Each structure stands twice: as structure tokens, then as C-alpha cells.
Amino acid sequence: MEDDASGLFAPDRVAVVGATDREGAVGRAIVTNLADFDGDVVAVNPGREEVLGYDCYPDLQTAPDADLAVVVVPPSVVVDAVRDAGEAGVRNVVVITAGFSETGSEGADRERDLAAVADDYDLNLVGPNSLGVLSTPSGLNATFGPSNALPGSLSFMSQSGAFITAVLDWANDQGIGFKDVVSLGNKAVMDETDFLRQWHDDAETNVVLGYLEGIEDGREFIDTAREVTEDTPAVVVKSGRTEAGAQAASSHTGTIAGSEAAYEAGFEQAGVVRAENVQELFDFARALDGLPLPDSEEVAVVTNAGGPGVMATDAVGDARLSMASFGDDTIDALSEMLPAEGNVYNPVDVLGDAGVERFADALDTVLGSEDVGCAVVVAAPTAVLDFAELAEVLAERQAEHGKPVVACLMGGERTERAADALSAAGIPNYFDPARAVDSLDALAVQRAVEAREYEEPAEFDVDRERAREILTDAADRGSRRLGVEAMDLLDAYGIPTPEGEVVDDPADAVWVANDIDGDVVMKIVSPDILHKSDIGGVKVGVPDDEVRDAYEDLVTRAKNYQPDATILGVQVQEMVDTDAGTETILGVNRDPQFGPLVLFGLGGIFVEVLEDTSVRVAPVSGREADEMIDDLDSAPLLRGARGREPADEEAITDAVQRLSQLVTDFPAILELDVNPLLATADGVQALDVRLTIDPEQL
Amino acid sequence: MEDDASGLFAPDRVAVVGATDREGAVGRAIVTNLADFDGDVVAVNPGREEVLGYDCYPDLQTAPDADLAVVVVPPSVVVDAVRDAGEAGVRNVVVITAGFSETGSEGADRERDLAAVADDYDLNLVGPNSLGVLSTPSGLNATFGPSNALPGSLSFMSQSGAFITAVLDWANDQGIGFKDVVSLGNKAVMDETDFLRQWHDDAETNVVLGYLEGIEDGREFIDTAREVTEDTPAVVVKSGRTEAGAQAASSHTGTIAGSEAAYEAGFEQAGVVRAENVQELFDFARALDGLPLPDSEEVAVVTNAGGPGVMATDAVGDARLSMASFGDDTIDALSEMLPAEGNVYNPVDVLGDAGVERFADALDTVLGSEDVGCAVVVAAPTAVLDFAELAEVLAERQAEHGKPVVACLMGGERTERAADALSAAGIPNYFDPARAVDSLDALAVQRAVEAREYEEPAEFDVDRERAREILTDAADRGSRRLGVEAMDLLDAYGIPTPEGEVVDDPADAVWVANDIDGDVVMKIVSPDILHKSDIGGVKVGVPDDEVRDAYEDLVTRAKNYQPDATILGVQVQEMVDTDAGTETILGVNRDPQFGPLVLFGLGGIFVEVLEDTSVRVAPVSGREADEMIDDLDSAPLLRGARGREPADEEAITDAVQRLSQLVTDFPAILELDVNPLLATADGVQALDVRLTIDPEQL
């Protein structure tokens, strides 16, 4: 694929391969939709000399040089057609034709061939199974949908072509315009990450919108989106959020979607503004398109109606926003301008007899205050208030103060008279105060994304070779599941473990025990014995002089229990007082899209019953590890709630990052659980570990 | 107040007291708005002979008999005007005038006088500080707002007059009609409960809508609403849900709102469908007005577009609904009618080339299946699908099968062509699949409300006299805070407590201890010593022969610690092994609107850190007590999670109901905490209790 895909949206000449004038054919719809294109259009079809007034050529070699080929030939000849495009020097190809991976294994083979050809010729290829692409500045509508788009600064990618047709029909009605629109189709070559990159470089795109059912390469998406979202908002609806939805999405696209937890973590790390539904997708996109970002999350509500003002306040309470607390200057200024019955605290009530002037003065005052980052104006219709004039005032004041203002001019016909002025100023207006406030909330999310400093995941000084040896040894033994015998793996990556070792000789056991202060814990170590306690395979509080006997006894019990069990030895470990700290869990599993996910939470009921865990895609940075603790409802228990000694959070986040580095270094580790990781005021200790490896990835 | 308030909405003659033709006066606006009224209008104003063409009388005595008086005179003469109305035999009065309790103590006094007069004359009085009332069948618009309402079957009450003006302007534009509208104002006499009752009896009202900032009498509201909602849906936005919102509401209305937990519990017990915001209020109301209730919560999704179908499925996953799982018959039938690439499982994909026929057949099949309770039809625009025809099909199939269908015909202009047919059939249509599904969800909520059997709170056989004695004794001692000395109170109401007693003599202590198997726990009992353990006021595991010494020692320690402490004695109690069960908390506090609230949850971190508690307004029925356990995230810990022995849930719900009965019987109990209530497989035991009483209520 080429780095620059702008030729997809602003080509000089488009060739429609499979163009036809047959009624009802997709190849006709494409040609018809290209009528308003600023550049040249040529048809390619060996059976025709002309299609709908355009010159038609038998193949791309004979046609004049095109920089975009739209392919609508039958599935069996698509690969050939794309190869021809490559040969003819066309760099950008949109494959409209369906009948690829979405139809079964034969189609999947064809799609692989298609991707290989695109790779050979370094093509920017969209699809197959795409509705097409569209770009308003050049008048390009290379889709077979029924609608064109209005011009605008939103660029929109969708994994559903039908959704694009729906959105365009609706958006035209709403006056919402687009810069580029692309139907991603099966994403054989170009995917969401490519378009994020493309639109980041595009000065005419203000906001990227996406409807996605899955992400091809999660880590690449995060790394790209992180950079994009530092200055360009990306709002995404990811469908298949719920279990039912994920099932439906998988049967629809044939792909296995990653877990919702992975998407949630991945979008958060990528700085993507996530929309739960279609309404939010466009509400958020319009706010991000039209409004400046707020300086702070402090909202001022200005209203002529107590009740609706309270509703807006509730919505602020539901959001990440908070109600601005006015300083004395602001209160004094409002007191001077408002009648005595007005409310000079937030929400500011300018009263039902307020005209536009009073709204303007109050808005000026609150926007001028450094305590206020943004404002909602909530107005009920009254005889003395002209909504159209009010709209002008909002536009002026917003421009003047450079702070976002959203509107809730509550009415029907009289509100419509205000629509043009608001829309020209980029100010969203909703009947429901909650929707207006939610738009501000999206701005606050984007503000937080842009404000956060990117931090490279730390590279700790670890003993990677020793770790590799432990894993290779296990693989050589034929082990895929490892237990405490792998504690050294944690040690190699600097995650603290109790003093002790796995030994395979009673004399060594005594030697190790002598080296440890106090009594020891001894456990049989065998990949074939999972529930050690049940067979008496664990001895607690063994004094030094009983270690040898204990060793023999543990081995005997294990052999009696399962004569053919592989016995790796016995773990001799210092006694750890688990009551001295909080048991946490640190785990890893792999997501098909995002790769290794690191999970942290409190142990026992918190994980199993309350499902209070936090997940991030590895590698995890220090800031992200901090956020993982913050995310937990049970975090106060690590922070001194109920008279506990606060845990050493730095030791926890250190362990999180080191584990993240371990699983990033070794893709062979499929799953890993440190349970418990005991967190105390003095640090952490991994008391037990289990992992699953894939020897082939070593 | 009279029982029947229908005269407010369908009077024969309306008298406007304070009518005037002065430009800009409220009294003029009211008279003007009455132009379309079917009945007679008379003006009352001593300074005029005629107002805007209506005969004007100096007072109500000289005017012809009216059955509704609308009062718009200055605040200082409102009470007199209302008294005149009473004298003249007018039964229904709406006080528009503001300047009462919302303005301070003088206004509050005037409001009390007003209520007293209304009581004297048995008046149905709305307001003061009301925008007025409106009823479409009689053409009555006795408001001073700028808009009238379209006819319809929603009846709407609002504590904000401004919100009514906003809603009417907007609703007229949306084609939403109303039966009655009332601006509640300060609710000096008639409140939300009165109008619930009124509209329950009104055959022309299908759905009751409310915008409320508070509820006057929570228990009365629950008792009334419970009956109303058995067949008439009530959808309510309660503002001031959040802390910020509650503060704003309180400064706006001057009332102290009850806690959000109380409102949440109260609305749930009342069967009210709660809307979070204005959009939900009207979305839910329209669905409940236009659609039949579903037989089940099983949803079928029928779509021509995979992506939007997945979005609808996600929305089902978010709701209380679930995706219907089709039986073989349904799958076979769908397989026969759909092309091979279609999806015959739920969501049903009829494919992009589907015309109206295929939609109709698929919809027929799923609605005809007993596995399906309701359906969402999601359609993207295509060349072969006519949305207007599809709308007709939805209306027909819904009528035929009697199951609710909601629509998501995703488009702009082409969707508008379908609007009339959908609207005539009561079928909501939204661009966003989530909004369509949420409408079905509201139907499912109402279905559950109507399906649940009302259960009288049980009346347990308790020793009320003994309880009264314990409370009176404490009051006589001057105690307001009681501790373990009140364990007998629980015992009197049949809540199990450990064996033991509070004694004030060492000999009695020995006698009690002898009667208890094994060692005992002894605690000093003094209202002045809160932290017994800190002063060595608790002795655990005392054998019988040390009881006497222990008694003396406890008393000595207490006296040394605080020489003037009142010492009630020593509690001698059996040893309870708290590890044998789960520590729970059972508590009560009083809400200003709803009265006693019963709270249940697991103890320690679950209450204090995770705030995982469940609340109901007392008296609590058996079903409600069951639901209180269900509501807890930590409920699995009472039900055998992680290998625990399941607790005796019946014993828990029994204790919840008995405590509910206790606090209902004794309003003097302001707060009470049983902490812990130990729940084991064999029952519950209250191990400690604290309460606060108000002796004046005994």
C-alpha cells in the first residue's frame, strides 16, 4: 500500500471497470453517480464503446491513464481486473464487487489473492464488498448508493455500506456535510487505521467518524490513533458491544470480534471518543466539528426557566463535567445585572421576563470568568424573548470568548427560526438539555485526550535470557501449563516473589530452608497435579529440621495420588503473612485483535463476584498503569479505606508494567495469572503464578 | 379537596378573577387563551364592565355560577379572592399568581392561609404560582402561555410552568397531542398524587406524564401510583437526580428534596416508568400511548442491513429485553422465504435487495411465533424498498398480531414520506436503532409493572407493647441514642438475637451466664460510652466462674474512664462465631418525603466502600424484600458463591419485613442500624443495634 491515499478521494481520472448502461446494474449506478465529478471519467468494458456518454475502453491498458479504478466486474474476474490496474499504473482501487470472505472459504481464498496482488503493485485498495468512496471537494461520488453528500468537514468510514446510504439520506435532511466517505467493505487491504492516518494528514477534515464492527490490528490502531487524536478528534461507534451484538456482528461479518473489554481499553488508550449509538456519533461529531475545546470541565448554565435549568444541571452531574463554582467577582456582576429574584449562582436564572439583552449580559459575565470553561444556554419560549436574536447573541459571545457554548432553545417552530444562526456558528441546539450537555461532555473528553502527555511504556532492565530459558525448558519438557515452577520467570522480570526455590532433592530442600528465616511452606510441583491442597501436597509452617521428611512425604503423596505424574520437585518458600496486605490479581490474556491484555484487580470476590477489574492493552505505560488502579471501584481498599494501611501503589504499577513487558517480549505466553499478588505498604509479592504457553511461538 | 377534580378540566363556566385587557398583563393572556373554550367565560374585575368582549362582574357573588375560577389578582388579595370563590360555590380554583412560598417566609404564610381556605371550602385548588390548566376536549386553555395543545391522550403535569410552554411549542411541531395539561405550581393543595388519581379515572387519558422536582407525600404517592400503574402507565422525569441537580432544584423551589435513593425506591415500588431526560419522557410516553404491551421481553429484529441490525442488537443487549431465540418452525419458515445469504437467526437479515413483500413475510413469521414478544424493523434505504409502503405493512402486521412493532426506517426525506402511516398506527420511528429499542424497553417495564401481583406488607405477630415499653423507658431516662440495651426491641419484633440479657447486678450476670451453653461475651452498656472496646469494655470468652469478676471489672473500667457515665449494666451474651456466616447490615432512616426507608446490604466494605446497598420505602412487602436481595451486586455471596454455604434468604427477608413493621409502628424511631445481622444457612442473628429516637413522637 502507498503511504498517501489521497488519490482515492481526489483523483484526476476515474476508470469504472465493469461500467455498463444496463438498468439496475451496479456498474450503471456508479457511472451515473460520477456525473458531478470534477475530473475525467472513463468506462472500461470490452463489450461496449460508450457508456452513458463516457468513452469506453476494452481494458485499462488501452484506456487513458487513470489514478482511481472502481471495479464492479463479477467476483471471478476481480483479481485479474485489479492486476490489470496495477499493470496500467493505477495506484488506487475500489473493489465494489461482493462474494469474497463474507461468503465462505472459496471467497476467502479469492480475497487472499486480491490482497496479494494489491501488495505486489503497492495499491491503495478499498473493499472488496464496498459501497464505494465519495469526496465532496472534487464532487467524486464513486458509490452505488442513492444519495450524494453535502460538503462539510467530517470524514466518515463505515464497515456497513447500508449504514452509509442511511446516514447520507438522513444527513442531507439535517444539513450535515462530509469531506470524504468510505465504505470499508471487507478491509482486505486498507482498514480503519489507514483512513485515520489519511484524514489526519488532510487539512479539510476536522473530525473523523467511524462505524466499526471490528478492528484489524488493535495495536497498530492504538499507535496510530494515539497520534491522530492528539489534534484530530475521532468519534467511533463500535457495534457488537454486548454479547448479543457481538454474536450478531460475528455472523454478519464472519470475523471473530475481540472482547468488549479489549475494545474499551483500546479505544481509551487510542484517545478515541466512543459513541454508544448513532445519535451520539453525530451529536459528538457535530460538537467537535463546530466548537472550540473548553479550557476546563467547569460548566455554567444560563437559563430563563428554573425547571429546565435543573435538568441541565442533572445532565452535568451525569457527565464528566462539573458545575462551575463562581468567584465573588462573577457573583457580584450577576447580582448587579439580574433582578433580585434571579439566581446568581450556577445555574444562573435570568428569569422568565428576560429579553435577549439580559441573556447576553449574563453569558458575557460567565464566559468572561476564568472559573468557567464552557456554557449551556437553556431557554423556554416567552413573549419577550426572540430565539433568533438569542441565537445571534450566542454565536457572537462564543466567538468573542473562544469558549464552547451549546444551546437548548426549547421549542418547535420558533426554535427553527434560530437554526440558521446557530448552525452557522457551529452551535448544537437540542430540545433536551441532556443532549446539549452531552455534546459539551464530548468536548471535555477530547480536551482530556489532547491534554494528556504521551508516555512511552518504560523499558525495564530485565533478564530476558533467563526468562527465555525457563520457557524453553518448559517447552522442551512438553509443558504447556506452568505453575510455581515458573516463579523465576517473574523474578527475571523484577516482579518480587517470596524467597525460595523449586528443588528436586531433599538435601537441596534443607539447604534452601536453612537459608530462609523461620519456618517454610513446601508445595509439590507437578504440571499434572492442579489442586495440590486436596491431596495434601502443601505443608505450611515446616521447621528446618522437618524439611527432609516433609519433602519425602510430599513426593510419596503425589505418587500415591497419581503414579504417572511428572514431578518436577518441591517448592520451598518463606512463609508470607497474607493478612498483612491485600490480595490482588495481575493477569494477562490475548485478544485476537489487540494482542496481550493486562488485567488488574483485587482478588477473590472482587474479581469473581463483582467483576471489578481493569484492563489495558500491552505494552502499558506508567500513566496507564496508574489509571488501572483508579478505574477500580475497590481502589479505596488499596488506599487506606476502613483503617487499612495504604498499599505501595508504585510497587503495583511497577509490577503491572513489568508483566506487560514480559508478555510483549514473549508472544509464546498465551495466558498468565499472578494470583495472588500480595500488596502491602512495603511493596508487592507474587505468591503464585500459572501460565499457558504456545511452544511454537518460542 | 373534592374527590373528583374533573371540573378543573371540563367546567361549564370559567370565571377569570383579575381579568383585564391591559396589554402584557397575565390576566389578559388568560382571557385571550380562553377564546376557543366550548363553555362560558366570565370576567371578574371591579374596575371593568367588559373584558375583551366578555361580560365583567365586580365579584364572584354577582357573576353567574362558575365551576372553575382562575385567579390572577395580586398576591395580597389572592386569599380573599379564593374565599370569595368558596363562598360563591365554585369548586375548582387555579391560582396563577406568584409570590407565595417560593419568595420567602411572608409568602409561605400566605400560602398556608390559602391552603386553609381551600380546606374550609373543600376546593380543588391548583397552584399558586401556576401557568394554568388546559384540556383539549373542551377547548379549555386557562394558561397564560403562548401555545395551545393539540388533542391527544397524554395527560401531563409539570412542576415547571416554563417547561410546559417549551413542551407545547415543541409538541405542536412534532404532532404530539395532549388530553389535559396542568402546571402544578407550588402544590399548596393539589399535588402529583391527586392528578394521578384524576387521570386514572379519566377514560380519555392513556398515559400520565410528569415532570417533578419533588413529591409532597411519598407514601401516599406510592400507594396511589401503585394502583394507577396497574393499568395506566405513568412516565416521570424527576429532576434533581444528581447532587448538583438536587442543590439546584432546592434553590429553585425552596423545598428540601428527599434523597435520590428514596425516589428511586419509591418510583420502583409505585410502578412508575422513570425517564432520565426529556427525550426519554416523550419517547416512552409515545410508545406507551400507541402500542400494545408485549407478551414477553423477547425481541425479533428484522433488517435489510447487517450493520444497523447489529446496532439494534446491541441496544437490546443494553436493555432489559433479550433477543428472541427462534424455534425450528420459525427458522424453517424464514429459510424458505429468504435467499440463501439471508440470516434466518435473530437479527433476521432479509438482505439489501429485499422489497416490501419480503419484509412483510419475515415480519409475519416472527410476530406469529410464540417465541417473539415484540419486533424492531430496521431498514436502510435501497432502490427497491419504498418506506411508505413498508410503513403500511408495519401498521397492518402490528394490528394483526397485536404485538408491538417499532421502526427504524433510516433516512431523511424518504423516511418522512412514511411518517403519516407510522404515526397513525402509533408506531414510533427513529433514525437511531437504540432509540427505537429503548421505546420497546419502556413497554417491557410497564408490562412487568402490570404483571406483578400486589402483595400487602405482612402483619407479623409481634409484641408491640413490649417494644413501646423499651422505647418509653429509654425516653424517660432521657436517652435519644440506644445501643445493645435495645436488643430486646428486635426480639419483641421477632428478629433473632443471640441468647443473653442486659443485667445490672453481678449475681444476675452469673445467673444469665449459667443459662447459656459455653463461655459468654460481656459488654458494658452505657449510652455515654460509644467505643466500648477502646476502654476494655468488652470481654470475650468468659467462662461461667469468671463472670462475677468480669462484671465488676467492666463497671470499674467504665467508671474510671468516665466517672459521670450512666451505666445501665452489662450485657451477657452467648458467643457467636461470625466466621460461620456473612455479616450484613439492616438499617432504617427517614426521608423527608417518603418516611422510613429500609436499607439492606452486606457489611463492611460492601456498604462503606462499594456502596452496594438496596433501599425500599417501608412498609416493605415480601416480594419487595426478595427484590432487595436481588438488587445487590454482592447477592451471590449470600447464595453460595466461592464455595460458601448459601444463607437462609427467607430468614433475611423475614427480618427485613419485621424491621419495616417496627419502624412503621413507631415513628419515634428516627434511625436504626442492625450491624451486623449475621446471615448463616440456618437463619439470621442481630449481633448489635444502634438507634436514635425522638421521644416526642412516642
Side-chain angles (χ1 to χ4, degrees), chain A residues 391-430:
Chain A
E392 299 287 352
V393 161
L394 301 192
E396 278 164 32
R397 294 308 186 273
Q398 159 153 308
E400 189 178 316
H401 294 278
K403 295 181 181 179
V405 175
V406 295
C408 178
L409 309 190
M410 304 180 82
E413 196 248 326
R414 73 180 66 214
T415 303
E416 270 155 43
R417 279 181 268 139
D420 284 347
L422 292 173
S423 159
I427 297 178
N429 183 40
Y430 298 108

Side-chain angles (χ1 to χ4, degrees), chain B residues 393-479:
Chain B
V393 162
L394 301 193
E396 279 164 32
R397 294 308 187 276
Q398 159 152 309
E400 191 178 313
H401 293 279
K403 295 181 181 179
V405 176
V406 295
C408 177
L409 310 190
M410 302 180 83
E413 194 249 329
R414 70 181 67 215
T415 303
E416 270 155 44
R417 279 181 269 141
D420 285 348
L422 292 173
S423 159
I427 297 178
N429 184 40
Y430 298 107
F431 183 73
D432 184 353
R435 251 179 107 178
V437 170
D438 285 351
S439 299
L440 282 185
D441 202 34
L443 300 180
V445 171
Q446 180 63 23
R447 173 184 170 271
V449 167
E450 295 192 13
R452 68 189 188 188
E453 295 266 319
Y454 176 64
E455 188 186 297
E456 281 288 344
E459 275 279 353
F460 293 91
D461 187 18
V462 297
D463 191 344
R464 191 166 173 164
E465 276 322 299
R466 192 161 135 239
R468 178 177 305 283
E469 220 169 89
I470 294 164
L471 292 171
T472 313
D473 285 356
D476 291 348
R477 283 198 307 272
S479 288

